[in-house]
Amino acid sequence: MARLIDRPAEYQDRSIAPGTAAPRCEHCGRPHGHTLRCLPDGRWLSPDGIWFSDEGDPAPWPDVVEYAGVRTSRSIVGQYRRAAAIERSTEKAMAEKAMERRWLCRRCHMVTARDEHRRVTRTRSLMRLALGDLFEGTYTI
């Protein structure tokens, strides 16, 4: 099943219901579909000409030296499932948490789900090592 982030650019807007306003990221407030100027420290320039921090709060204008590191980034906002908590509560509560969806830009999705992505990456790499041990003998690391 293709996720929003894996789709080509021409299909990215189809996840937004027709007739609704373009969504904003719930974490930082970036608007969907705009090309923004971003600084290495996380500040970004809105289409209205206001600088915001990576948390979505108004931020001061950068000086010339800081602005030298500016890059442009297209803001794509999509619905992402919130990572399920590892707590051992009732199955119904965990299922509800797993199905919660949030509108996040790609950057905020990677930041807020960092621990889950690291856990999955580590599990996959350990599975590859285990398969290698099973068929080819032990690895020397």
Side-chain angles (χ1 to χ4, degrees):
M1 179 174 164
R3 297 174 304 173
L4 176 66
I5 204 165
D6 295 332
R7 294 182 191 161
E10 63 264 20
Y11 297 110
Q12 298 240 345
D13 291 335
R14 290 188 182 186
S15 65
I16 302 167
T20 61
R24 290 180 147 325
C25 177
E26 291 179 13
H27 188 259
C28 68
R30 292 180 188 208
H32 175 74
H34 290 277
T35 302
L36 306 172
R37 295 180 194 158
C38 303
L39 294 175
D41 64 357
R43 285 185 284 178
W44 55 277
L45 182 65
S46 73
D48 302 330
I50 302 170
W51 283 94
F52 289 96
S53 68
D54 56 350
E55 299 287 319
D57 302 321
W61 279 75
D63 59 6
V64 174
V65 175
E66 291 174 333
Y67 193 78
V70 75
R71 60 180 173 73
T72 58
S73 174
R74 183 166 165 93
S75 175
I76 302 296
V77 177
Q79 281 189 340
Y80 295 98
R81 255 184 275 158
R82 191 176 288 179
I86 310 265
E87 62 192 40
R88 298 288 179 212
S89 60
T90 65
E91 289 181 20
K92 183 178 179 183
M94 286 187 68
E96 287 174 3
K97 274 188 183 178
M99 295 310 293
E100 287 181 23
R101 294 188 175 267
R102 298 174 64 189
W103 287 100
L104 295 175
C105 63
R106 291 181 288 192
R107 180 186 177 279
C108 292
H109 167 68
M110 294 305 289
V111 169
T112 57
R114 178 174 289 144
D115 293 335
E116 178 68 13
H117 289 286
R118 285 183 178 166
R119 184 189 65 76
V120 168
T121 301
R122 182 176 184 274
T123 303
R124 286 181 180 161
S125 66
L126 289 175
M127 286 173 55
R128 283 190 204 107
L129 283 174
L131 281 173
D133 290 344
L134 183 63
F135 293 109
E136 298 173 5
T138 58
Y139 286 108
T140 56
I141 297 177

